[in-house]
C-alpha cells in the first residue's frame, strides 16, 4: 500500500486511483449537482436517504472533473451512456477516454483511470461485522473463508474487508460480460501481497491481473484491479477544495 499524494487532476499516462473526499457543504453539493446532466440529477433524487443522494452527486461530479481534465474537455459537456448492466461509459460521440471505474462508500470515493487496461475499484466503510467467518463461508472461496475463520476480532474483520474489496474490484474490472460469483476465484490475504491466486474454469489467467490494496483511511478499505501483470499504481488525492476546480456555477 502506497502513500496518497495531493495532486490536481490532469492528463493520464499511467494507472491512477483518485481518492475523493465526499464531505461537501450544502452549497458545494449544489455546485456539484450543477455540473451533472438532468439524468444524473434525476437518479440522485431517487435515493431515499440524503447520505446516498449526496454521495452520488459528489462522486459523479468528481468523475466528470477527473475525466474532463484527463481528456482536456469541459467536464459538463461529457455525455455518459449506460453500458452493459448499467455501467457508465462515455457516449460514442465523446472523446476516446481511458478506462475508468468509480466506487463510493461512507466519506470517500475512489476513481480509477487506466490508459490501456481494464480497471476496477472498490471502497468499503469498515462497518462492524458480527460473524465475518459465516459471511465469508457463504460468499467467498473456501480457502479464503478458512483463512478468515482462523483469525479473530479485528484481525478477522480486517482480513474480511481486504478480501471483499479485492474481489469486488476484480469483478468490476472484468466488467459485466465476464463477471463471476465471488466464490469462483480466490485472492491472497494480508500479510501476503495482494494478488489473484486462482480463477476457476480457466476464464482468466491470474497472472494477467494486478491487485492493489488501499488504506483509504482508518475507517475505509479499498482495492484496485488492473488487467496488466505487475502494474504500477499511483495514488492521488483530489485537493480538499476540488469542487472549485469545476467550471461555471459549480464554483459559485
Amino acid at each position: 500500500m502506497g502513500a496518497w499524494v495531493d495532486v490536481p487532476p490532469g492528463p493520464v499516462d499511467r494507472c491512477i486511483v483518485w481518492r475523493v473526499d465526499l464531505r461537501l457543504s450544502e452549497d458545494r453539493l449544489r455546485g456539484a449537482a450543477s455540473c451533472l446532466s438532468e439524468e444524473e440529477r434525476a437518479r440522485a433524487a431517487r435515493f431515499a436517504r440524503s447520505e446516498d443522494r449526496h454521495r452520488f452527486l459528489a462522486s459523479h461530479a468528481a468523475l466528470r472533473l477527473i475525466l474532463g481534465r484527463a481528456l482536456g474537455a469541459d467536464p459538463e459537456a461529457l455525455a455518459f451512456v449506460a453500458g452493459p448492466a448499467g455501467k457508465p461509459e462515455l457516449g460514442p460521440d465523446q472523446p476516446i477516454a481511458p478506462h475508468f471505474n468509480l466506487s463510493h462508500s461512507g466519506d470517500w470515493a475512489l476513481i480509477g483511470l487506466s490508459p490501456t487496461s481494464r480497471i476496477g475499484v472498490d471502497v468499503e466503510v469498515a462497518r462492524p461485522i458480527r460473524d465475518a467467518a459465516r459471511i465469508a463461508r457463504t460468499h467467498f472461496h473456501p480457502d479464503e473463508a478458512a483463512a478468515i475463520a482462523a483469525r479473530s476480532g479485528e484481525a478477522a474483520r480486517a482480513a474480511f474487508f481486504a478480501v471483499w474489496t479485492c474481489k469486488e474490484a476484480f469483478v468490476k474490472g472484468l466488467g459485466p460480460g465476464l463477471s463471476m460469483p465471488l466464490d469462483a476465484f480466490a485472492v491472497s490475504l494480508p500479510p501476503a501481497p495482494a494478488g489473484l491466486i486462482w480463477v476457476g474454469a480457466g476464464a482468466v489467467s491470474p497472472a494477467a491481473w494486478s491487485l492493489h490494496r488501499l488504506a483509504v483511511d482508518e475507517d475505509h478499505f479499498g482495492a484496485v484491479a488492473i488487467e496488466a501483470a505487475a502494474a504500477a499504481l499511483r495514488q492521488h488525492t483530489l485537493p480538499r477544495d476540488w469542487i472549485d476546480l469545476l467550471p461555471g456555477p459549480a464554483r459559485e
Side-chain angles (χ1 to χ4, degrees), residues 1-2 162-163 165-166 187-195 211-215 222-224 235:
M1 289 183 266
V163 171
T165 51
C166 279
V187 302
S188 61
L189 278 77
L211 295 182
H212 298 263
R213 299 188 197 104
L214 305 175
V224 178
Q235 295 178 207

Side-chain angles (χ1 to χ4, degrees), residues 44-212:
R46 290 196 288 269
F47 286 105
R49 299 196 315 159
S50 61
E51 298 96 322
D52 296 329
R53 186 164 58 252
H54 293 173
R55 275 193 288 268
F56 182 94
L57 291 171
S59 62
H60 283 73
L63 176 62
R64 283 180 171 272
L65 171 63
I66 289 169
L67 276 178
R69 290 292 183 93
L71 298 170
D74 180 355
E76 292 186 58
L78 297 176
F80 294 88
V81 297
K87 186 176 180 179
E89 301 174 353
L90 287 182
D93 59 342
Q94 298 292 295
I96 297 176
H99 297 268
F100 65 90
N101 195 226
L102 164 68
S103 178
H104 54 77
S105 180
D107 295 331
W108 295 97
L110 293 180
I111 297 172
L113 270 68
S114 170
T116 58
S117 307
R118 286 185 290 179
I119 188 169
V121 301
D122 189 57
V123 58
E124 301 291 342
V125 64
R127 58 193 179 279
I129 297 180
R130 287 188 176 181
D131 193 347
R134 178 185 60 79
I135 298 171
R137 285 194 302 271
T138 302
H139 297 285
F140 294 170
H141 185 273
D143 290 349
E144 297 164 337
I148 291 170
R151 310 181 190 199
S152 61
E154 180 57 31
R157 187 177 75 137
F160 176 89
F161 279 109
V163 171
W164 183 274
T165 51
C166 279
K167 292 173 88 71
E168 288 288 345
F170 175 60
V171 169
K172 292 178 70 178
L174 281 177
L178 286 174
S179 62
M180 59 183 68
L182 295 183
D183 61 356
F185 63 98
V187 302
S188 61
L189 278 77
L196 271 177
I197 297 174
W198 173 85
V199 181
V204 175
S205 168
W209 285 78
S210 301
L211 295 182
H212 298 263

